[in-house]
Amino acid sequence: MTQFCYNRGCQKNFTSVNDPSVDDTACQYHPGLPYFHDAYKIWSCCQKKSHDFNTFLSLPGCTRGPHQPNKPKEPVAPQSNEQPQVTTSKPVPRQEMPKPQTPDVQRPPIDAPLIPMKLTVGASLRTALDKLSNTAKTNTNEIEQINDEIKPGTPCKHAACGARYTTVEEEQATPCRFHPGVPIFHEGMKFWSCCQKKTTDFESFTAQPGCSEGEHLWQSEKPESTDEEDPETLKKSCRYDFHQQGSSVVLSIYAKMPRPDQTQVELNAGRLKVDARFGTDTRTKRFCNEWELFGLVDVDRSTVELLQTKIEINLKKAEALSWPRLDRPLQLS
């Protein structure tokens, strides 16, 4: 005779061959109760969890024992005009769901002071800086000269243009189609910040035609020295991205030759500020930005490392929370 097993996590049909009196390990089930926390569905007995409900139901049981052919009885509330029945059997203790842990770290106010982070200089960057310093000493008597002449065959400096200089007349006849933004690589997608055409294939990304039209740029523009720098320009001067590694969030700011003596990273439990300069003494690039972080971090366990091609900031999470983004949405403040 086929019967239905009412154990949580099993709920299969079994025959008399698998009768509980014959086989005490035929059933694989969850003795605990399910509970839901932070979009997770979790078994309280083994802490197996999943975001997807169907995946959660298919998680194998953590305990073996006999099948349960009898459906558990649900308690019936006594009627108001009747006396409650007195039973001699011991009541089944109610299994309480574990309470979610609350983080010990509280989000500081928006104007809370920031703590300067210790900068670790990688071996590759240290070697490059030493080489740059030695080269600068040997060329102290050389004066940089700017040549306004454009040689034929010089490629256009605009991204995705690909044109090469021939004559002034031909240059004026062929407009420049280029991407004014910067390339962004995030979670396997590659796209330009100016037009947001996303693709996973690198060849397709590099072959995307420009989204703007203008004049060709045959010579690299020399940055003009100004007393005040536009904050929005400083944010766009370098590409940055983040990814998660278990209990850490890693922020990478991409630019060559970060200068340790001109870089400052400040942090508190809920806010991060970066002010950094990259490049040589004659040609530098600056990046300056602040983030109200999505989650809380442990300042003492967070680290900053300066490498030859980027700055890597490892933020240790102070709470078990997945970050869908780096900054905190305004509606949560």
Side-chain angles (χ1 to χ4, degrees):
M1 178 179 178
T2 302
Q3 292 178 294
F4 180 78
C5 178
Y6 287 95
N7 281 335
R8 287 181 290 271
C10 177
Q11 298 182 344
K12 298 178 181 177
N13 293 322
F14 66 97
T15 61
S16 58
V17 177
N18 294 326
D19 189 87
S21 62
V22 177
D23 190 352
D24 291 340
T25 61
C27 179
Q28 185 175 359
Y29 66 100
H30 291 285
L33 295 173
Y35 69 97
F36 306 91
H37 175 62
D38 283 346
Y40 277 105
K41 293 82 177 168
I42 311 171
W43 288 106
S44 61
C45 48
C46 58
Q47 298 299 310
K48 291 181 179 179
K49 60 185 179 180
S50 175
H51 284 292
D52 182 68
F53 190 73
N54 292 329
T55 304
F56 170 73
L57 293 178
S58 63
L59 291 173
C62 60
T63 304
R64 285 195 172 272
H67 287 292
Q68 175 57 262
N70 300 321
K71 184 176 181 180
K73 295 182 179 180
E74 298 182 359
V76 179
Q79 300 294 328
S80 58
N81 57 352
E82 296 180 359
Q83 295 295 331
Q85 297 180 357
V86 179
T87 58
T88 57
S89 60
K90 294 183 179 180
V92 179
R94 183 178 180 182
Q95 187 171 4
E96 296 183 357
M97 297 183 184
K99 297 181 180 179
Q101 297 181 353
T102 56
D104 297 333
V105 182
Q106 300 297 325
R107 182 171 292 274
I110 192 69
D111 56 348
L114 299 170
I115 301 174
M117 300 292 293
K118 180 182 177 181
L119 306 180
T120 301
V121 181
S124 59
L125 176 60
R126 189 180 296 108
T127 302
L129 291 174
D130 292 342
K131 183 178 180 180
L132 179 65
S133 178
N134 295 332
T135 303
K137 291 179 181 178
T138 58
N139 297 332
T140 52
N141 296 327
E142 295 183 5
I143 301 176
E144 182 180 1
Q145 295 181 354
I146 300 176
N147 189 0
D148 294 333
E149 181 183 357
I150 304 174
K151 296 181 180 180
T154 300
C156 177
K157 301 296 189 297
H158 280 150
C161 176
R164 293 184 176 273
Y165 180 81
T166 52
T167 62
V168 177
E169 292 77 10
E170 186 171 343
E171 173 197 350
Q172 295 175 349
T174 56
C176 176
R177 292 194 59 83
F178 64 99
H179 289 290
V182 295
I184 298 177
F185 303 91
H186 181 61
E187 295 182 353
M189 303 301 294
K190 304 159 184 69
F191 57 96
W192 292 94
S193 61
C194 47
C195 54
Q196 302 285 317
K197 294 180 180 178
K198 298 182 180 181
T199 180
T200 56
D201 183 61
F202 187 77
E203 297 296 331
S204 301
F205 167 72
T206 56
Q208 286 183 2
C211 59
S212 298
E213 187 172 306
E215 297 181 357
H216 291 286
L217 179 64
W218 304 116
Q219 292 179 325
S220 299
E221 296 178 343
K222 187 175 182 180
E224 299 179 358
S225 59
T226 56
D227 296 334
E228 297 183 359
E229 296 174 281
D230 181 15
E232 292 301 321
T233 303
L234 297 178
K235 292 179 184 180
K236 298 176 182 177
S237 61
C238 301
R239 180 176 63 87
Y240 66 88
D241 194 4
F242 83 98
H243 65 279
Q244 300 185 62
Q245 294 180 344
S247 61
S248 299
V249 173
V250 180
L251 169 64
S252 299
I253 303 171
Y254 298 97
K256 293 183 179 180
M257 300 289 288
R259 307 306 296 261
D261 56 335
Q262 302 179 44
T263 296
Q264 188 174 22
V265 180
E266 298 175 293
L267 179 69
N268 64 25
R271 192 169 184 81
L272 171 67
K273 180 179 180 181
V274 179
D275 190 349
R277 289 188 181 272
F278 304 81
T280 64
D281 294 332
T282 58
R283 188 173 185 84
T284 61
K285 179 187 292 186
R286 185 183 179 191
F287 177 85
C288 185
N289 200 1
E290 295 185 43
W291 297 270
E292 183 72 16
L293 298 174
F294 184 88
L296 301 176
V297 299
D298 188 338
V299 178
D300 295 333
R301 296 173 57 215
S302 299
T303 58
V304 181
E305 186 175 11
L306 275 59
L307 304 173
Q308 188 175 2
T309 57
K310 63 180 178 178
I311 295 178
E312 193 168 271
I313 305 173
N314 191 310
L315 303 170
K316 287 291 184 180
K317 297 179 182 178
E319 52 186 353
L321 177 67
S322 178
W323 292 21
R325 51 188 292 173
L326 181 63
D327 57 339
R328 193 182 188 208
L330 295 177
Q331 59 267 24
L332 296 182
S333 56

